[in-house]
Amino acid sequence: MEIKEVVREKYGQAALRVHSGGSSCCGAASAMDGCCDPITSNLYDSAQTGAVPEEAVLASLGCGNPTALAELKEGETVLDLGSGGGIDVLLSAKRVGPTGKAYGLDMTDEMLALARENQRKAGVGNVEFLKGEIEHIPLPDNSVDVIISNCVINLSADKDRVLGEAFRVLKPGGRFAVSDVVTRGEVPEEVRQNMLMWVGCIAGALRDEQYVAKLATAGFEGIDIEPTRVYNIEEARTFLSGQGVDVDAIAPQVEGKFMSAFIRATKPAGMPK
Ligand SMILES: C[S@@+](CC[C@H](N)C(=O)[O-])C[C@H]1O[C@@H](n2cnc3c(N)ncnc32)[C@H](O)[C@@H]1O
């Protein structure tokens, strides 16, 4: 509960900063290095940023671009877990067209208000922002074709529950297509904590093999994890030095081990409804 409250407060403030014309950035990296931190910057191409309101772009706090990597078809129903200012929902709504539907789910009132305002500015009708928690998705069983999410599952203290809920609401054959922070290989616990603080993961990122195991336990098949950005110790140097960390000493334990990745999996098509 405590983690959830910290997350809610942090993202509530981020949403308000967009409203007041400031930067929405709230990761440790952006606080130290200015807004253009290596995690959230330059995720979308100009065709995508030009297609949504500026405030949706300013509020973007993801670590990947699931809408670019997910296969979305006309008429499909998409659900974005932790939709924030709504950028991925609005982009998905365009991809599934007027016969499809894009839902955003977020627990933070300020983010929902921002997302709904962005929907109004974008003038899209096939979008609905729902208030709720990704651990308790307020949609029926077997009702969604594609689940997307952008840097949110790492924030949850109950990832098994999130993946179980994603499986429940997906239709048989439905796709899980998510960007998230993952770690790879052995990392000493203290180094791990420092790096994840830099990335802004409050509850903690999963190791890639843990992610695969948890998705399999939830019932998914065809699981694949594709790194999209591997973080470099130099990108975290200013932040970590400020925390009193001896960056040169830990560098060999960090290289190639912290990354954003695109995670895909499928709910078996033969599942009974
Ligand atoms: C890192 S931001 C990402 C927002 C958006 N996906 C994007 O790419 O800009 C995390 C968002 O997830 C929401 N969130 C975090 N944990 C959540 C939970 N357990 N249930 C629902 N929403 C959650 C926060 O309120 C915030 O809007």
Side-chain angles (χ1 to χ4, degrees), residues 7 11 60-62 82 84 106-108 111 132-135 150-151:
V7 170
Y11 290 104
S60 160
L61 287 168
D106 207 288
M107 66 177 182
T108 306
M111 276 296 182
E133 297 179 351
I134 62 174
E135 295 84 0
N150 200 347
C151 230

Side-chain angles (χ1 to χ4, degrees), residues 179-212:
S179 292
D180 208 354
V181 174
V182 298
T183 66
R184 185 163 272 183
E186 291 295 334
V187 190
E189 192 49 34
E190 203 187 326
V191 174
R192 187 182 162 79
Q193 291 307 328
N194 282 319
M195 279 302 282
L196 292 183
M197 205 196 317
W198 171 67
V199 176
C201 296
I202 294 176
L206 292 174
R207 269 175 74 161
D208 53 356
E209 58 200 25
Q210 286 175 312
Y211 223 126
V212 170

